[in-house]
């Protein structure tokens, strides 16, 4: 009887799981067809965008554009969703759950090697905006990426851009990818807790996590890639990171909607270039500051240099990204990547005009 009851219970769980998966698939299909129909390019067009962490300063233009009312001004009904890591935003895009993803441009190259074509339609940044942090306890042992061997290093998620960049820094400095352990710890409180309790020796993260770590004196900065100069020093060139990327087929069949999205984001980037960090911070949701407005404004200020003013892909940026990925990613190292298909300037040029 016990065995029979157990089998019955397992069967029930299986049916529920299958039902949930079917519901998710149906939801994804309806969001793609109903919310973003090819004829629905008029006022109030529904678009879902998944962001790899809405409260991360590197992805600030997404929420700021909504707060400034620029989506509404373009006749768009944009729903911003959030996942803790960029790789999860990528997954949501390619599975059809959303029409756009705000995440790192490098995913467009990685996906092309898997025969999935997506492209950046507006480039938010010219540097990663990432910082390699080491815990106070490990600071004496890790003075450069050459010391990564044998260490546990935090990343937002396995397969994320923080994972990619950590592997590149290791390989560039003579450490094999197999010589250290990447640990998925997300960002914010989970990253800080992992650093404090010794679950990781260091890791790569962004503001406002960086500002909070330094404020708590929980760690030290090893490498700062929040500026074009920092990107040049660590990676050898400009590194286009945060962007709005979309499936190429969808872009080609919804050009009017894409143009409106790009118009809105270019307005935001221009607005950011003419306002102070405090003014920008004041526009964001109150809970983003976690009760410390001054610290959050400082986090914005530290990251502002990474952003473009017009959404244009930085010159030689795609080549830097390809070089970084080829250094450790066998899929890209042995593949021919057509960089021209990983981004487009068509919409940005019209928005500027």
């Amino acid at each position: 009887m016990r065995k029979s009851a157990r089998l019955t219970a397992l069967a029930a769980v299986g049916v529920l799981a299958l039902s949930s998966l079917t519901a998710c698939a149906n939801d994804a299909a309806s969001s793609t067809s109903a919310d973003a129909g090819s004829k629905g390019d008029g006022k109030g067009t529904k678009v879902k965008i998944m962001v790899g962490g809405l409260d991360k300063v590197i992805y600030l233009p997404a929420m700021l554009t909504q707060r400034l009312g620029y989506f509404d001004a373009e006749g768009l009904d944009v729903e911003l969703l959030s996942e803790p890591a960029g790789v999860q935003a990528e997954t949501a895009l390619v599975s059809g759950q959303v029409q756009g993803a705000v995440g790192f441009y490098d995913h467009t190259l990685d996906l092309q090697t898997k025969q999935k074509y997506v492209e950046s339609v507006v480039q938010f940044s010219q540097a990663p905006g990432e910082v390699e942090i080491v815990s106070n306890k490990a600071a004496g042992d890790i003075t450069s990426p050459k010391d990564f061997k044998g260490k546990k290093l935090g990343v937002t998620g396995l397969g994320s851009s923080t994972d990619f960049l950590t592997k590149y820094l290791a390989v560039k400095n003579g450490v094999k990818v197999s010589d250290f352990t990447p640990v998925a710890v997300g960002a914010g409180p989970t990253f800080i807790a992992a650093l404090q309790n010794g679950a990781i020796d260091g890791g790569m993260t962004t503001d406002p996590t960086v500002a909070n770590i330094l404020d708590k004196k929980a760690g030290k900065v090893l490498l700062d890639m929040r500026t074009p100069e920092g990107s040049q020093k660590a990676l050898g060139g400009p590194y286009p990171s945060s962007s709005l990327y979309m499936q190429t087929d969808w872009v080609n069949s919804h050009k009017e909607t894409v143009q409106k999205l790009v118009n809105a984001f270019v307005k935001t980037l221009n607005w950011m270039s003419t306002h102070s960090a405090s003014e920008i911070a004041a526009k964001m949701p109150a809970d983003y500051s976690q009760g410390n407005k001054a610290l959050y404004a400082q986090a914005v200020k530290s990251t502002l240099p990474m952003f473009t003013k017009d959404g244009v892909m930085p010159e030689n940026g795609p080549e830097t990204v390809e070089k970084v990925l080829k250094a450790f990613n066998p899929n890209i190292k042995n593949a021919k990547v057509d960089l021209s298909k990983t981004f487009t300037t068509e919409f940005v040029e019209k928005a500027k005009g």
Side-chain angles (χ1 to χ4, degrees), residues 150-171:
K151 300 300 189 290
K152 295 173 292 184
L153 301 174
V155 295
T156 52
L158 301 182
S160 67
S161 297
T162 52
D163 189 21
F164 290 165
L165 287 170
T166 301
K167 287 175 177 174
Y168 173 73
L169 291 173
V171 171

Side-chain angles (χ1 to χ4, degrees), residues 219-237:
K220 297 179 171 63
V221 172
L222 181 69
L223 285 172
D224 192 338
M225 295 178 283
R226 291 175 291 188
T227 66
E229 295 77 18
S231 176
Q232 179 72 41
K233 184 177 179 180
L235 306 172

